[in-house]
């Protein structure tokens, strides 16, 4: 084989090798971009899940705080209602303050019901939920507000 043919063959082989290397490089680069997209997608998903975990922890902390507040409110209401009952029992039937203590006990009972509802909300009570007729609650609340608030309001 002549040197010219040999050089031509070597150049052709080198050109084919360069083309194969170029194709391989292109495929590797395309794969790398694909992996980078997948990594970015996984990173975004990780950040989203991390945010969900943080939000769940915040909500858990709020639930614990609310449960503690509900417990403390319940204790305070028990003291208020107990003292109002004792005061009402100590007074005669026709004493004018006795009626006011009755209003305090009624308001305390309503507040106790609200505290129980909030407590159920945070405890996810197993009690079956049932529809509540709001008309008597609103009527009683309005009556209490009329008795408590000045007539100018």
């Amino acid at each position: 084989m002549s040197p010219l043919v040999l050089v031509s063959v070597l150049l052709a082989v080198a050109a084919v090798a360069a083309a194969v290397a170029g194709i391989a490089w292109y495929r590797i680069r395309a794969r790398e971009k694909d992996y980078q997209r997948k990594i970015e997608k996984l990173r975004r998903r990780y950040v989203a899940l991390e945010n969900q975990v943080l939000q769940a922890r915040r909500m858990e902390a709020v639930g614990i705080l609310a449960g503690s507040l509900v417990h403390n409110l319940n204790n305070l209401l028990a003291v208020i209602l107990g003292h109002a009952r004792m005061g009402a029992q100590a007074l005669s039937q026709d004493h004018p303050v006795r009626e006011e203590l009755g209003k305090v006990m009624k308001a305390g009972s309503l507040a106790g019901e609200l505290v129980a509802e909030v407590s159920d909300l945070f405890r996810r009570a197993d009690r079956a939920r049932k529809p509540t007729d709001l008309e008597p609650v609103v009527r009683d609340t309005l009556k209490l507000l009329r008795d408590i608030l000045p007539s100018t309001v």
Side-chain angles (χ1 to χ4, degrees):
M1 197 182 271
S2 77
L4 190 56
V5 173
L6 186 59
V7 169
S8 296
V9 170
L10 286 176
L11 284 175
V13 169
V16 170
V20 169
I23 292 171
W25 180 85
Y26 176 78
R27 285 184 179 168
I28 289 170
R29 186 72 179 131
R31 222 181 272 153
E32 180 185 7
K33 286 182 181 180
D34 187 44
Y35 288 146
Q36 285 175 346
R37 280 192 298 272
K38 287 179 181 178
I39 288 170
E40 181 60 26
K41 186 177 178 180
L42 288 172
R43 188 192 65 74
R44 283 193 306 268
R45 179 73 176 137
Y46 175 79
V47 168
L49 289 172
E50 199 172 51
N51 287 338
Q52 286 179 358
V53 167
L54 288 173
Q55 183 66 18
R57 286 181 182 160
R58 284 187 207 114
M59 294 304 293
E60 181 182 15
V62 167
I64 291 169
L65 177 63
S68 174
L69 287 172
V70 165
H71 178 76
N72 290 337
L73 281 173
N74 203 25
N75 290 344
L76 291 171
L77 281 171
V79 170
I80 291 168
L81 288 173
H83 281 88
R85 283 187 191 111
M86 288 185 337
Q89 289 173 352
L91 297 174
S92 64
Q93 290 289 343
D94 58 343
H95 199 286
V97 176
R98 188 177 180 102
E99 184 180 333
E100 298 302 318
L101 286 174
K103 292 175 186 176
V104 168
M105 288 187 286
K106 178 123 176 143
S109 294
L110 287 173
E113 291 173 12
L114 289 174
V115 166
E117 286 180 29
V118 171
S119 177
D120 289 347
L121 174 71
F122 285 103
R123 263 194 267 134
R124 304 267 189 234
D126 292 335
R127 288 192 283 179
R129 297 194 185 269
K130 56 185 176 193
T132 303
D133 184 16
L134 293 178
E135 185 181 344
V137 175
V138 171
R139 192 179 316 116
D140 290 345
T141 304
L142 285 173
K143 189 189 299 182
L144 282 171
L145 288 174
R146 283 188 194 115
D147 292 340
I148 294 170
L149 296 174
S151 60
T152 58
V153 176

PDB file of all heavy atoms in Angstrom, residues 13-23:
ATOM      1  N   VAL A  13     -10.127   7.134   8.820  1.00  0.00           N
ATOM      2  CA  VAL A  13     -10.372   6.496  10.128  1.00  0.00           C
ATOM      3  C   VAL A  13     -10.431   7.564  11.202  1.00  0.00           C
ATOM      4  O   VAL A  13     -11.293   7.535  12.095  1.00  0.00           O
ATOM      5  CB  VAL A  13      -9.281   5.440  10.429  1.00  0.00           C
ATOM      6  CG1 VAL A  13      -9.360   4.975  11.867  1.00  0.00           C
ATOM      7  CG2 VAL A  13      -9.411   4.268   9.478  1.00  0.00           C
ATOM      8  N   ALA A  14      -9.526   8.550  11.124  1.00  0.00           N
ATOM      9  CA  ALA A  14      -9.519   9.636  12.114  1.00  0.00           C
ATOM     10  C   ALA A  14     -10.805  10.442  12.012  1.00  0.00           C
ATOM     11  O   ALA A  14     -11.386  10.849  13.026  1.00  0.00           O
ATOM     12  CB  ALA A  14      -8.298  10.528  11.901  1.00  0.00           C
ATOM     13  N   ALA A  15     -11.278  10.678  10.804  1.00  0.00           N
ATOM     14  CA  ALA A  15     -12.519  11.430  10.613  1.00  0.00           C
ATOM     15  C   ALA A  15     -13.710  10.660  11.187  1.00  0.00           C
ATOM     16  O   ALA A  15     -14.579  11.229  11.853  1.00  0.00           O
ATOM     17  CB  ALA A  15     -12.731  11.726   9.137  1.00  0.00           C
ATOM     18  N   VAL A  16     -13.725   9.348  10.936  1.00  0.00           N
ATOM     19  CA  VAL A  16     -14.805   8.505  11.495  1.00  0.00           C
ATOM     20  C   VAL A  16     -14.718   8.498  13.006  1.00  0.00           C
ATOM     21  O   VAL A  16     -15.724   8.617  13.715  1.00  0.00           O
ATOM     22  CB  VAL A  16     -14.728   7.077  10.907  1.00  0.00           C
ATOM     23  CG1 VAL A  16     -15.668   6.145  11.646  1.00  0.00           C
ATOM     24  CG2 VAL A  16     -15.057   7.103   9.425  1.00  0.00           C
ATOM     25  N   ALA A  17     -13.508   8.362  13.538  1.00  0.00           N
ATOM     26  CA  ALA A  17     -13.320   8.363  14.994  1.00  0.00           C
ATOM     27  C   ALA A  17     -13.768   9.688  15.583  1.00  0.00           C
ATOM     28  O   ALA A  17     -14.425   9.739  16.632  1.00  0.00           O
ATOM     29  CB  ALA A  17     -11.859   8.072  15.332  1.00  0.00           C
ATOM     30  N   ALA A  18     -13.436  10.792  14.902  1.00  0.00           N
ATOM     31  CA  ALA A  18     -13.851  12.115  15.379  1.00  0.00           C
ATOM     32  C   ALA A  18     -15.371  12.236  15.343  1.00  0.00           C
ATOM     33  O   ALA A  18     -15.996  12.787  16.259  1.00  0.00           O
ATOM     34  CB  ALA A  18     -13.195  13.204  14.542  1.00  0.00           C
ATOM     35  N   ALA A  19     -15.982  11.715  14.306  1.00  0.00           N
ATOM     36  CA  ALA A  19     -17.442  11.766  14.187  1.00  0.00           C
ATOM     37  C   ALA A  19     -18.094  10.939  15.285  1.00  0.00           C
ATOM     38  O   ALA A  19     -19.068  11.365  15.917  1.00  0.00           O
ATOM     39  CB  ALA A  19     -17.872  11.278  12.811  1.00  0.00           C
ATOM     40  N   VAL A  20     -17.522   9.731  15.524  1.00  0.00           N
ATOM     41  CA  VAL A  20     -18.054   8.876  16.588  1.00  0.00           C
ATOM     42  C   VAL A  20     -17.873   9.562  17.933  1.00  0.00           C
ATOM     43  O   VAL A  20     -18.780   9.570  18.782  1.00  0.00           O
ATOM     44  CB  VAL A  20     -17.379   7.483  16.572  1.00  0.00           C
ATOM     45  CG1 VAL A  20     -17.716   6.692  17.822  1.00  0.00           C
ATOM     46  CG2 VAL A  20     -17.801   6.725  15.326  1.00  0.00           C
ATOM     47  N   ALA A  21     -16.709  10.173  18.152  1.00  0.00           N
ATOM     48  CA  ALA A  21     -16.461  10.876  19.413  1.00  0.00           C
ATOM     49  C   ALA A  21     -17.412  12.055  19.552  1.00  0.00           C
ATOM     50  O   ALA A  21     -17.925  12.328  20.650  1.00  0.00           O
ATOM     51  CB  ALA A  21     -15.002  11.347  19.462  1.00  0.00           C
ATOM     52  N   GLY A  22     -17.676  12.761  18.460  1.00  0.00           N
ATOM     53  CA  GLY A  22     -18.606  13.898  18.495  1.00  0.00           C
ATOM     54  C   GLY A  22     -20.010  13.434  18.842  1.00  0.00           C
ATOM     55  O   GLY A  22     -20.708  14.058  19.643  1.00  0.00           O
ATOM     56  N   ILE A  23     -20.419  12.325  18.226  1.00  0.00           N
ATOM     57  CA  ILE A  23     -21.750  11.774  18.522  1.00  0.00           C
ATOM     58  C   ILE A  23     -21.815  11.331  19.979  1.00  0.00           C
ATOM     59  O   ILE A  23     -22.793  11.598  20.687  1.00  0.00           O
ATOM     60  CB  ILE A  23     -22.088  10.616  17.559  1.00  0.00           C
ATOM     61  CG1 ILE A  23     -22.268  11.172  16.136  1.00  0.00           C
ATOM     62  CG2 ILE A  23     -23.325   9.879  18.011  1.00  0.00           C
ATOM     63  CD1 ILE A  23     -22.389  10.103  15.074  1.00  0.00           C
TER      64      ILE A  23
END
